[in-house]
Amino acid sequence: MAITAPAHATDCDALIIGGGVNGTGLARDLALRGLRTVLVERNDLAFGASGNSSGMIHGGPRYLTTHPSVTRASCTDSGYIQAIAPHMIFRIPFVYPIYGAGVADRVRFEAIEAFFAVYDEFQPLKRGLKHTRLTPDEAERVIPGLVTDKLMGAVTFDEWGINGARLCNANALDAVEHGCTMHLHTTVEAVKVEAGRAVGATVRDRMTGRVWDISARAVVNCTGAWSPITAACAGLEGKVKLRPGKGVHLMLDRSITDVGVMCTAIDGRQIFLEPWENTALIGTTDDDTYADLDDLPVTTDEVRYLMEGIERVLPRVREARIIGTTVGARPTLYAWGKAEDALSREHAVLDHSADGVAGLWSLVGGKLASYRAFAEEAADIIAPALGVRAACTTHTRPLPGGEAKADVDALAARFRVSPYAVQRLVTRHGTRAETVLAEGDRRGRATVCTTEPVLAAEVLYAVRHEGARTLQDIARRTNLAYGPCGGAECALPAAVLAGAELGWSAAEVRAQAADELAVGTTRDA
């Protein structure tokens, strides 16, 4: 079923603005409760922080001492997400090397281990392993090339990785299959308010220019760092206050290590290197940003800051090539006078009836690791306000493709495709990999992007069934051009495939390929 909406106005119970993990998670929850739901996204699913995060459903040990409720919520939701999307999840063990020589350093080592002993109490919630203490020799064997000068030992802890863009897409697909309508690349021109109540919005398709009204019994602002701007569309300037935090990650052309490495940057902030799918990520910065949220820059200083921090403990990171960067703005709750990394990662559901606009809510704050719980909390407020008392089922109902384990070898033999290509396909689509492989004829099983790999059938599936309207949309859904080639090999063939489906002219095919190559050039730092 295509995500792109029909070309006419839609009446609904709840109009959700924003296609990140909170918006798609809420759309799924409300649709499963039987509410008529419409979701509008200005760009594409996972365009913002959700698709540019650290790619982890982690427990948040960094929040344990300041916001333990965030750690508990994240660990609890991690367990649920693993159950509903097992095909997307992969374990990432982390090693935290400890350096020093004096008594104070030994005391610090003991304190760090005691901290992770407390974190162990949360591990059963997310099926994590308890921490272990490593000697210097053990740490070096686990991470070859680790700096050993003054190495006192290391502590291990356990987290889980996930593709944030695929998580958003899976929630969106399930919402659509339960009656939700989605308009992508569609911006809200104004939230319509009548007699002190939100009654819908005027929206514009940014690709066609078409403008129309959507009437709704309730409007929900799920636009992340853009939330203050969206609230202003309802005349609520200054009523939603956030402090967006810019987070940059570097993408390397190889995994470097089999485990993640945590260390401290020059300013004392914790940063990390993690193996992530076929690559590795180094992250992350955490700085206040006042830049254009649609076009956040990545500076040379930020790249050097992250590389220098990892290089201090693992010099061979310089052997890898930086093939890309990701950047997003965290929708951090507002506070004055605190350092950026000390800000709360809590979330909140704002009811704007207190501001004179009933039927309008804003979901602010939160993080990828606890998105489902946030959506449930919001739906528990919004659904009863619309007269619906149905219970939440998102913690037990599998996301599309998560119903069972796919048989990779059987699919590879049946469709005569490399088992590796099928395995990568399964990590994105689960049991629906079979449906993807069946898309088109034998040509659909041809490999378009060899570094990931991505099959022609997956490109077609993204256009026909996942709402992709541009080549960059396809890349978010498939990892097309995310490998070392930066799209040089696959951008034009994929654009030709997509163009045949979407009716692009030859000039548009070339322009779409050029846009993707420009992104790849930006990634290649």
Side-chain angles (χ1 to χ4, degrees):
M1 181 182 297
I3 289 179
T4 305
H8 56 74
T10 305
D11 292 327
C12 62
D13 295 315
L15 170 61
I16 298 170
I17 307 171
V21 75
N22 291 333
T24 56
L26 180 62
R28 178 184 187 235
D29 195 318
L30 292 178
L32 288 173
R33 298 188 197 211
L35 286 158
R36 295 172 301 140
T37 308
V38 172
L39 186 146
V40 174
E41 163 56 43
R42 169 180 167 80
N43 296 294
D44 184 30
L45 299 174
F47 175 84
S50 300
N52 295 283
S53 70
S54 300
M56 283 190 285
I57 299 293
H58 63 86
R62 63 177 290 190
Y63 314 126
L64 187 56
T65 57
T66 56
H67 302 94
S69 61
V70 174
T71 301
R72 178 172 291 279
S74 297
C75 288
T76 301
D77 226 29
S78 175
Y80 287 136
I81 295 166
Q82 290 171 50
I84 64 175
H87 57 294
M88 295 186 193
I89 295 286
F90 50 96
R91 187 184 296 274
I92 306 179
F94 274 87
V95 174
Y96 184 9
I98 312 297
Y99 294 89
V103 174
D105 295 317
R106 289 195 291 272
V107 171
R108 182 171 61 89
F109 194 168
E110 298 300 326
I112 290 171
E113 186 178 12
F115 169 87
F116 281 103
V118 175
Y119 189 44
D120 286 345
E121 297 178 14
F122 295 85
Q123 293 295 347
L125 297 172
K126 63 185 183 73
R127 298 193 305 117
L129 301 176
K130 291 186 176 182
H131 88 284
T132 60
R133 180 167 177 158
L134 304 181
T135 66
D137 287 344
E138 290 170 335
E140 188 180 11
R141 285 200 297 271
V142 173
I143 308 175
L146 188 69
V147 170
T148 56
D149 184 38
K150 296 185 179 180
L151 178 64
M152 301 173 63
V155 175
T156 71
F157 62 101
D158 204 35
E159 299 297 353
W160 295 88
I162 198 167
N163 186 315
R166 288 306 310 175
L167 182 62
C168 290
N169 202 74
N171 277 278
L173 280 173
D174 206 34
V176 167
E177 290 173 5
H178 287 86
C180 179
T181 298
M182 296 207 180
H183 302 265
L184 304 182
H185 295 282
T186 301
T187 190
V188 171
E189 302 275 288
V191 175
K192 300 179 70 176
V193 180
E194 297 177 1
R197 185 171 189 87
V199 294
T202 300
V203 302
R204 173 174 54 84
D205 187 314
R206 298 178 69 198
M207 298 182 70
T208 66
R210 185 172 66 91
V211 178
W212 75 102
D213 289 338
I214 299 174
S215 61
R217 297 169 60 206
V219 179
V220 190
N221 173 12
C222 297
T223 53
W226 289 262
S227 291
I229 299 171
T230 305
C233 290
L236 298 179
E237 292 88 351
K239 297 300 183 180
V240 175
K241 298 188 71 174
L242 295 177
R243 191 171 153 186
K246 180 183 174 186
V248 171
H249 297 83
L250 313 181
M251 183 182 296
L252 307 182
D253 65 348
R254 66 198 76 171
S255 60
I256 304 295
T257 72
D258 294 329
V259 300
V261 181
M262 190 170 78
C263 60
T264 54
I266 192 170
D267 56 359
R269 285 191 63 255
Q270 289 181 350
I271 60 173
F272 58 84
L273 164 73
E274 60 170 326
W276 198 83
E277 295 191 340
N278 293 332
T279 63
L281 290 181
I282 296 176
T284 173
T285 62
D286 195 352
D287 300 299
D288 288 317
T289 183
Y290 300 92
D292 179 358
L293 296 174
D294 284 338
D295 190 22
L296 289 173
V298 177
T299 67
T300 301
D301 286 350
E302 290 164 329
V303 173
R304 290 176 174 171
Y305 167 86
L306 292 171
M307 284 297 289
E308 178 188 80
I310 299 298
E311 189 178 22
R312 286 186 68 246
V313 301
L314 193 64
R316 66 186 180 86
V317 71
R318 287 290 180 182
E319 299 172 6
R321 179 165 65 93
I322 301 172
I323 60 171
T325 59
T326 69
V327 57
R330 303 176 187 87
T332 319
L333 297 180
Y334 180 83
W336 183 272
K338 289 186 176 181
E340 294 98 323
D341 61 350
L343 293 171
S344 171
R345 265 40 173 193
E346 294 275 11
H347 59 249
V349 180
L350 305 182
D351 183 348
H352 291 295
S353 60
D355 304 315
V357 181
L360 175 64
W361 288 267
S362 290
L363 274 58
V364 296
K367 50 204 286 287
L368 190 75
S370 53
Y371 88 91
R372 194 215 57 81
F374 191 10
E376 178 181 355
E377 180 181 324
D380 283 345
I381 294 171
I382 296 165
L386 297 175
V388 174
R389 300 288 175 181
C392 177
T393 59
T394 59
H395 59 306
T396 57
R397 185 189 294 266
L399 284 166
E403 302 86 356
K405 186 176 181 179
D407 189 331
V408 173
D409 291 335
L411 289 173
R414 175 183 167 191
F415 290 99
R416 298 182 181 180
V417 176
S418 159
Y420 178 62
V422 175
Q423 180 61 62
R424 297 298 299 131
L425 192 63
V426 166
T427 64
R428 293 189 283 268
H429 296 272
T431 56
R432 296 197 177 189
E434 181 176 0
T435 305
V436 177
L437 287 166
E439 200 72 46
D441 54 23
R442 279 190 309 172
R443 290 173 296 177
R445 265 86 78 188
T447 301
V448 177
C449 176
T450 59
T451 56
E452 178 50 29
V454 177
L455 304 179
E458 193 175 7
V459 173
L460 296 175
Y461 191 84
V463 173
R464 293 172 180 174
H465 306 289
E466 295 186 336
R469 298 177 68 186
T470 71
L471 193 58
Q472 290 186 33
D473 293 354
I474 293 168
R476 287 187 196 92
R477 288 156 178 75
T478 65
N479 280 11
L480 180 90
Y482 275 57
C485 77
E489 173 188 287
C490 58
L492 186 56
V496 170
L497 276 171
E501 292 292 315
L502 294 168
W504 294 341
S505 66
E508 180 63 19
V509 166
R510 292 193 295 270
Q512 289 285 334
D515 287 346
E516 182 55 43
L517 285 169
V519 172
T521 302
T522 303
R523 290 191 195 113
D524 192 352

